[in-house]
């Protein structure tokens, strides 16, 4: 008889993130092969978990066609060498794809239907630029359901600057620079590398190499340099390449388990899921999405924002994170927020990013036993937000 269960984040790994496009390191690498590497990395690092015990594989992608199509969870599982008895499926919630993969598997584990699951996401934005091949229903425009440019994420970021004048370009530039500097410091200290799975790559000349680090980092970033960048989304705008996440290729994977599997297999959870929530907002200002989704998740957990001791917020744009911090009264440079940098420096392969946030939060928990609760949150295209609250199993109660 199935019983309700706690849900645990056992482990997570990801490929290094590459710059999208012909000059990027994954231009000659298939999206589904990135998924395979991530699955294999997690399974090899957790040999006490038999492959046949995985109850399901959920893989998200925003553009589900070509090498990102064909029911990625199932094809990825087969290609990664999991037994044919392991099922899988694909999922899409744009930027919150991997987060939704985790939430969906968590629901199945929590309800007692699954013991173990793999959940992650991939986006090869070089092969599949956002919106290419999409066919939006004409009613969206004829009935003015959304603005014609609501799918242009850069314009939605400019609108946040419009709506909240206190979110100045200087604040956004400083946040973008700090993301780069924090990511570089984390790399120099060897914080990020342990959770990366190396990927064999081939360049335009056919030469083989190995992807071992995120490709898009710019540690040389300065405020002076950022001030000179063009504003591609609007003349004299405030959003630049320096305050936006770059177009990125990459895959992420997590291993989730219920209480029974944890005790039976002797697993050591890195996090326990407390609550999750998704919320909708106006598509034209999709960046504020994490504000209502976080409030819903806090309410479900019986917590307040003051209970959160570690934040991993997806940096789709600097202004989007700043709008969240301002709403909750958190300083731009609060040390609890993205201490190892975020998507502005590391990249944002749309549907993959949610699990990157979890991987980094789990590492923060290991370093900070004084922190009990952490938040992973992100804005989502077409006007949504996603939030997940986690508990630190290493919590000692001491500050």
């Amino acid at each position: 008889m199935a019983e309700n269960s706690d849900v645990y984040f056992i482990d997570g790994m990801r490929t290094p993130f590459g710059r999208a496009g012909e000059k990027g390191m994954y231009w000659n690498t298939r999206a589904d092969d990135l998924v395979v590497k991530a699955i294999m990395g997690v399974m090899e690092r957790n040999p006490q978990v038999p492959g046949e015990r995985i109850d399901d594989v959920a893989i998200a992608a925003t553009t589900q066609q070509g090498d990102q199509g064909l029911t990625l969870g199932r094809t990825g599982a087969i290609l990664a060498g999991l037994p044919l008895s392991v099922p899988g499926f694909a999922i899409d919630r744009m930027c919150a794809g991997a987060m939704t993969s985790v939430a969906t598997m968590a629901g199945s584990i929590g309800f007692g239907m699954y013991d173990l699951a793999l959940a992650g996401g991939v986006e090869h934005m070089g092969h599949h630029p956002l919106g290419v091949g999409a066919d939006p229903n004409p009613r969206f425009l004829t009935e003015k359901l959304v603005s014609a440019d609501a799918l242009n994420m850069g314009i939605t970021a400019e609108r946040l600057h419009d709506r909240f004048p206190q979110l100045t370009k200087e604040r956004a530039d400083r946040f973008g620079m700090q993301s780069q500097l924090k990511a570089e410091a984390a790399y120099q200290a060897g914080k990020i590398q342990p959770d990366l799975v190396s990927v064999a790559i081939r360049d335009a000349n056919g030469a083989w190499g190995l992807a071992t680090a995120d490709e898009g980092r710019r540690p040389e970033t300065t405020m002076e340099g950022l001030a000179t960048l063009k504003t591609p989304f609007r003349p004299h705008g405030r959003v630049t390449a320096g305050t936006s996440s770059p177009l990125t290729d990459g895959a992420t994977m997590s291993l989730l388990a219920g209480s029974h599997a944890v005790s039976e297999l002797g697993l050591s959870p890195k996090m326990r899921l407390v609550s999750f929530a998704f919320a909708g907002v106006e598509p034209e200002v999709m960046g504020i999405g994490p504000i209502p989704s976080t409030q819903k998740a806090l309410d479900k957990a019986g917590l307040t924002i003051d209970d959160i001791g570690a934040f991993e917020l997806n940096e789709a744009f600097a202004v989007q994170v700043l709008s969240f911090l301002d709403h909750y009264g958190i300083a731009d440079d609060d040390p609890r927020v993205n201490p190892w940098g975020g998507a502005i420096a590391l990249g944002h392969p749309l549907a993959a990013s949610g699990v990157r946030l979890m991987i980094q939060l789990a590492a923060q928990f290991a370093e900070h036993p004084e922190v009990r609760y952490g938040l992973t949150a992100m804005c989502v295209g077409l006007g949504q937000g996603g939030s997940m609250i986690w508990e630190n199993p290493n919590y000692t109660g001491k500050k």
Side-chain angles (χ1 to χ4, degrees):
M1 186 71 185
E3 295 181 356
N4 289 1
S5 168
D6 277 334
V7 179
Y8 295 98
F9 181 98
I10 303 301
D11 200 7
M13 294 190 77
R14 65 179 179 89
T15 68
F17 288 171
R19 285 181 179 278
E22 293 183 32
K23 296 180 180 175
M25 62 189 183
Y26 292 136
W27 182 247
N28 293 313
T29 304
R30 289 179 60 97
D32 47 15
D33 282 332
L34 295 177
V35 171
V36 168
K37 290 300 293 187
I39 292 176
M40 293 173 72
V42 170
M43 292 303 291
E44 286 171 9
R45 198 157 79 170
N46 295 274
Q48 69 275 47
V49 176
E52 65 271 12
R53 291 291 305 277
I54 301 294
D55 288 303
D56 213 345
V57 181
I59 308 295
T62 302
T63 306
Q64 299 196 7
Q65 60 192 34
D67 58 343
Q68 271 180 202
L70 211 60
T71 313
L72 271 171
R74 177 60 171 166
T75 52
I78 294 173
L79 290 165
L82 290 174
L84 293 177
S85 58
V86 177
F89 66 104
I91 206 163
D92 172 24
R93 200 197 301 263
M94 298 184 83
C95 315
M99 182 176 280
T100 305
S101 296
V102 170
T104 304
M105 294 293 89
S108 299
I109 292 169
F111 196 55
M113 296 298 107
Y114 293 177
D115 292 316
L116 293 153
L118 291 169
V122 64
E123 209 73 50
H124 198 307
M125 298 182 76
H127 294 175
H128 307 283
L130 179 62
V132 169
D135 182 18
N137 192 297
R139 288 182 49 223
F140 278 120
L141 296 185
T142 58
E143 300 179 21
K144 296 187 168 53
L145 297 173
V146 299
S147 160
D149 50 24
L151 257 177
N152 185 318
M153 300 305 156
I155 291 175
T156 69
E158 287 283 7
R159 284 213 178 94
L160 286 187
H161 280 293
D162 295 342
R163 184 174 283 199
F164 305 108
Q166 75 275 20
L167 303 181
T168 61
K169 181 178 186 295
E170 185 187 359
R171 279 178 69 184
D173 283 354
R174 190 169 302 284
F175 189 89
M177 179 184 73
Q178 288 300 330
S179 181
Q180 297 285 359
L181 298 180
K182 289 190 287 188
E184 180 64 14
Y187 256 93
Q188 294 295 336
K191 306 277 194 191
I192 291 173
Q193 296 91 323
D195 294 318
L196 302 181
V197 55
S198 300
V199 180
I201 51 175
R202 195 160 45 89
D203 70 16
N205 300 318
W208 286 92
L210 202 60
T212 59
D214 297 311
E215 189 179 26
R217 306 184 337 267
R218 294 182 179 274
E220 71 283 359
T221 300
T222 63
M223 288 294 284
E224 293 73 23
L226 290 173
T228 66
L229 293 179
K230 293 181 179 142
T231 57
F233 306 110
R234 180 190 290 177
H236 313 294
R238 286 145 296 193
V239 180
T240 70
T243 54
S244 312
S245 53
L247 301 179
T248 312
D249 308 331
T252 61
M253 197 62 50
S254 65
L255 173 64
L256 307 172
S259 306
H260 176 71
V262 167
S263 56
E264 179 196 352
L265 299 174
L267 306 178
S268 299
K270 294 184 173 181
M271 304 194 290
R272 183 183 75 85
L273 182 60
V274 177
S275 68
F276 65 84
F278 296 92
V281 297
E282 298 166 79
E284 292 80 6
V285 285
M286 63 98 198
I288 64 170
I291 294 172
S293 63
T294 295
Q295 198 55 54
K296 281 170 81 170
L298 288 167
D299 292 345
K300 292 283 186 190
L303 299 172
T304 73
I305 199 72
D306 297 331
D307 294 310
I308 304 300
F311 294 82
E312 284 292 339
L313 307 176
N314 192 45
E315 299 171 356
F317 299 92
V319 67
Q320 175 266 315
V321 181
L322 293 173
S323 71
F324 178 97
L325 297 179
D326 264 23
H327 177 86
Y328 282 110
I330 299 168
D332 294 4
D333 58 354
D334 191 304
R336 299 172 297 167
V337 177
N338 298 4
W340 298 351
I344 289 172
L346 302 173
H348 174 28
L350 304 177
S353 285
V355 167
R356 179 191 67 77
L357 302 175
M358 296 169 205
I359 290 168
Q360 290 191 205
L361 182 63
Q364 296 302 325
F365 277 176
E367 285 195 3
H368 295 282
E370 77 281 5
V371 169
R372 183 169 185 185
Y373 296 111
L375 173 75
T376 53
M378 59 203 314
C379 60
V380 189
L382 289 181
Q384 301 183 80
S387 303
M388 304 188 92
I389 295 174
W390 303 87
E391 186 175 29
N392 186 357
N394 314 295
Y395 177 63
T396 59
K398 298 189 177 76
K399 289 257 179 177

